[in-house]
């Protein structure tokens, strides 16, 4: 009897611990599902914004960039879906083991219960119970025998309840297994479809590369011109930021052109801005990141590296750029090509919105979070609407992907 109780204690401990494992895995599954849903939404937006036309007006370099973004995002989706399927596999295997354990336990409970019923039947008459009590040597022994009869009856009832509970647990676990296998099969099927689509996109990308390389000199010049224009814009952005810092510090008696002299109010805004790292809103209401921050290889000539000091966001024609945080407009930039940029100060941080067709604010204006600051420029040649978004702390470039929520 002592061994049986010890076994039950260990088994009970295992059954108490298993649900916590289940909760952990369920939580992980929810995180992965949310991530997968977000990637699927991004791919849908890419299809709408980057592939809504055949870009007859544009050039194949734009198509190549769009395809590259879609391929990268599809590969990310495949990876996350695989993680989900693997997690489900682990859950299914754990549940199969648990199911086997429960069946063994239920079998043991039923056998033990059958023995109890048989013994109870043999000693069921009231005369037998009375004789059992009267045959006691003294009152104390008779009392102990009465307690034993009560405990025995209670134990038998408890065994019956455990059988009912384990039977229900087995039924529920079987249902869970069927549901989990169905979800896993669906994930595998979806992943197969994404992989097939990815293969088509990779083939399309190779065809584009072949087309481009048949006229290399033409596209090499386009790439070179883009690099020169990008560097010129970056130099102008850096110059205007230093000028804005020097102008601000002059009013407070400071002389630095690389660091803001902060008033108590400006320090509070800067601290609030910093506290919201990773939670700041997107500078557009809807759109997709079409080029991330930092160094990246050219799609046509991998040996050529490009530097993006901000992020590029593709959005709909007519969309507005909006302030990511409260602040003050400290500079408005206008290029000879017509594009404009707005600099908004947040303490010692600066958010910069470039490639605007028109601007709704002026220097010195206070802006609130989500306030529209200008309409984004649409390129007439390829019909693309792209916002270039930059983030600085004083004159130090920051990666906006680390500051904007899920960028």
């Amino acid at each position: 009897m002592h061994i049986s109780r010890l076994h039950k204690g260990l088994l009970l401990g295992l059954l108490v611990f298993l649900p916590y494992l289940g909760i952990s895995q369920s939580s992980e599954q929810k995180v992965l599902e949310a991530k997968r849903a977000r990637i699927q939404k991004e791919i849908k937006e890419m299809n709408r914004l980057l592939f809504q036309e055949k870009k007859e007006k544009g050039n194949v370099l734009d198509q190549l960039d769009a395809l590259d973004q879609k391929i990268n995002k599809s590969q990310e989706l495949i990876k996350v879906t695989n993680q989900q399927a693997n997690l489900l596999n682990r859950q299914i295997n754990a549940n199969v083991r648990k199911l086997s354990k429960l069946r063994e336990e239920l079998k043991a409970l039923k056998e033990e219960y059958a023995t109890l019923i048989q013994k109870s039947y043999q000693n069921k008459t009231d005369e037998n119970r009375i004789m059992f009590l009267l045959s006691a040597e003294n009152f104390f022994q008779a009392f102990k025998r009465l307690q034993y009869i009560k405990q025995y009856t209670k134990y038998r009832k408890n065994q019956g309840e455990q059988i009912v509970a384990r039977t229900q647990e087995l039924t529920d676990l079987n249902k869970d297994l069927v549901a989990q296998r169905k979800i896993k099969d669906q994930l595998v099927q979806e992943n197969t479809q994404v992989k097939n689509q990815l293969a088509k996109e990779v083939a399309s990308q190779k065809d584009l590369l072949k087309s481009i390389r048949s006229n290399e000199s033409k596209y090499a010049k386009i790439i070179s011109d883009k690099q020169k224009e990008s560097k010129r814009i970056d130099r102008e952005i850096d110059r205007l930021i230093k000028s804005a810092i020097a102008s601000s510090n002059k009013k407070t008696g400071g002389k630095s052109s690389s660091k803001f002299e902060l008033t108590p109010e400006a320090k509070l805004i800067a601290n609030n801005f910093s506290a919201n790292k990773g939670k700041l809103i997107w500078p557009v209401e809807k759109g997709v990141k079409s080029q991330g921050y930092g160094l990246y290889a050219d799609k046509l000539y991998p040996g050529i590296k490009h530097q993006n000091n901000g992020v590029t966001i593709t959005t709909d024609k007519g969309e507005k750029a909006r302030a990511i945080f409260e602040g003050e407009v400290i500079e408005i930039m206008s290029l000879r090509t017509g594009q404009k940029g707005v600099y908004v100060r947040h303490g010692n941080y600066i958010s910069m919105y470039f490639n605007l067709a028109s601007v709704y604010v002026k220097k010195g204006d206070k802006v609130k979070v989500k306030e529209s600051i200008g309409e984004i420029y649409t390129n007439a040649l390829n019909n693309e609407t792209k916002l270039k978004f930059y983030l600085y702390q004083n004159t130090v470039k920051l990666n906006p992907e680390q500051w904007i929520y899920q960028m």
Side-chain angles (χ1 to χ4, degrees):
M1 181 65 74
H2 178 70
I3 294 172
S4 177
R5 284 178 182 171
L6 179 62
H7 174 72
K8 284 173 188 169
L10 290 170
L11 188 58
L12 183 61
L14 179 65
L15 290 171
V16 167
F17 182 64
L18 276 172
Y20 289 99
L21 282 175
I23 289 169
S24 172
Q25 289 176 330
S26 175
S27 173
E28 190 180 349
Q29 193 67 266
K30 284 177 182 176
V31 170
L32 286 171
E33 180 55 34
K35 188 175 181 181
R36 189 170 73 99
R38 177 169 58 83
I39 294 169
Q40 286 175 326
K41 186 180 177 182
E42 287 175 5
I43 289 175
K44 188 177 178 181
E45 280 292 277
M46 280 183 177
N47 284 332
R48 189 177 68 80
L49 294 170
L50 304 180
F51 298 92
Q52 58 186 344
E53 297 177 3
K54 290 294 183 183
K55 299 185 185 296
E56 285 141 2
K57 293 184 184 177
N59 60 59
V60 289
L61 286 177
D62 295 324
Q63 296 177 50
L64 190 67
D65 282 341
L67 264 176
D68 194 68
Q69 293 157 38
K70 178 82 178 295
I71 288 168
N72 290 338
K73 195 56 68 175
S74 295
Q75 288 170 337
E76 191 179 345
L77 178 61
I78 289 167
K79 182 182 176 183
V80 171
T81 308
N82 279 335
Q83 286 175 330
Q84 277 189 284
N86 290 337
L87 179 59
L88 270 170
N89 248 342
R90 292 199 296 273
Q91 289 177 329
I92 288 168
N93 290 336
N95 280 339
V96 166
R97 290 192 294 271
K98 185 179 177 184
L99 196 65
S100 176
K101 195 76 177 174
L102 279 171
R103 281 179 180 144
E104 289 174 13
E105 184 192 359
L106 185 58
K107 183 183 176 184
L109 282 170
K110 283 180 177 179
E111 288 173 355
E112 192 173 349
Y113 189 69
T115 304
L116 285 173
I117 294 298
Q118 188 180 8
K119 287 181 179 179
S120 297
Y121 181 79
Q122 292 169 353
N123 304 301
K124 69 177 181 178
T125 62
D126 292 336
E127 289 85 354
N128 285 341
R129 288 175 188 154
I130 291 169
M131 287 302 296
F132 179 64
L133 290 171
L134 292 176
S135 64
E137 294 177 4
N138 53 50
F139 175 78
F140 179 73
Q141 192 181 67
F143 177 76
K144 292 292 285 182
R145 287 184 177 187
L146 180 63
Q147 290 297 104
Y148 171 77
I149 290 170
K150 287 181 180 179
Q151 288 173 3
Y152 187 80
T153 305
K154 186 179 178 181
Y155 180 70
R156 190 180 68 185
K157 183 184 176 184
N158 184 52
Q159 288 291 91
E161 289 172 350
Q162 282 192 55
I163 288 171
V164 172
R166 293 296 179 272
T167 303
Q168 185 59 49
E169 196 171 351
L170 270 169
T171 303
D172 293 342
L173 195 54
N174 269 315
K175 287 180 182 176
D176 287 345
L177 276 169
V178 170
Q180 285 174 335
R181 284 180 174 131
K182 189 176 179 181
I183 293 169
K184 184 196 164 187
D185 290 343
Q186 186 179 342
L187 285 172
V188 170
Q189 186 180 356
E190 285 182 18
N191 233 13
T192 301
Q193 291 171 352
V194 174
K195 285 177 180 176
N196 290 339
Q197 182 61 32
L198 179 61
K200 291 177 185 176
E201 285 160 359
V202 170
S204 180
Q205 189 184 49
K206 286 178 180 176
D207 290 340
L208 276 174
L209 281 168
K210 196 182 294 181
S211 164
I212 291 169
R213 288 191 172 120
S214 66
N215 199 353
E216 281 200 43
S217 58
K218 174 187 173 183
Y219 294 115
K221 187 179 185 309
I222 292 172
I223 291 169
S224 176
D225 290 345
K226 277 187 176 181
Q227 280 186 314
K228 287 176 183 176
E229 179 65 10
S230 178
K231 287 177 181 177
R232 190 182 70 79
I233 292 169
D234 288 339
R235 284 196 300 270
E236 181 65 6
I237 289 171
D238 290 343
R239 185 188 70 79
L240 286 174
I241 285 175
K242 288 177 181 177
S243 174
I245 291 172
S247 177
S248 173
N249 288 343
K250 190 176 180 181
K251 294 174 185 176
T252 57
K255 295 180 180 179
S256 175
S257 62
S258 61
K259 189 176 180 181
F260 281 108
E261 302 282 345
L262 297 179
T263 62
E265 182 187 0
K267 190 176 287 185
L268 180 63
I269 293 171
N271 289 339
N272 287 339
F273 188 91
S274 180
N276 279 278
K277 184 177 181 179
K279 297 180 283 186
L280 295 168
I281 66 165
W282 279 56
V284 294
E285 189 175 347
K286 53 186 177 181
V288 294
K289 180 181 69 179
S290 47
Q291 182 57 59
Y293 175 87
L295 199 68
Y296 62 97
D298 189 86
K299 307 300 182 299
L300 182 58
Y301 306 104
I304 298 176
K305 306 296 179 184
H306 302 282
Q307 175 69 34
N308 191 2
N309 291 329
V311 293
T312 306
I313 300 169
T314 301
T315 184
D316 290 311
K317 185 176 182 179
E319 271 296 307
K320 314 294 187 294
R322 60 181 187 173
I324 62 165
F325 202 77
E326 64 172 306
E328 178 188 352
V329 178
I330 57 170
E331 192 64 68
I332 293 174
M333 177 174 76
S334 293
L335 298 183
R336 60 176 182 269
T337 50
Q339 294 100 313
K340 297 175 176 62
V342 174
Y343 299 71
V344 179
R345 178 186 173 188
H346 319 277
N348 61 341
Y349 292 91
I350 298 171
S351 57
M352 197 277 194
Y353 314 77
F354 176 70
N355 203 36
L356 304 178
S358 57
V359 172
Y360 304 151
V361 292
K362 61 183 185 299
K363 192 173 178 178
D365 282 355
K366 302 283 186 182
V367 294
K368 297 177 181 177
V369 63
K370 291 187 179 181
E371 184 175 336
S372 294
I373 56 179
E375 182 177 329
I376 303 166
Y377 174 81
T378 299
N379 190 321
L381 293 175
N382 56 22
N383 206 35
E384 284 187 340
T385 307
K386 291 186 176 183
L387 175 72
K388 300 285 186 73
F389 177 72
Y390 301 82
L391 203 56
Y392 291 79
Q393 183 176 20
N394 296 308
T395 56
V396 178
K397 299 176 184 73
L398 301 176
N399 181 356
E401 296 171 62
Q402 296 173 353
W403 290 77
I404 305 298
Y405 180 67
Q406 289 188 348
M407 177 170 273

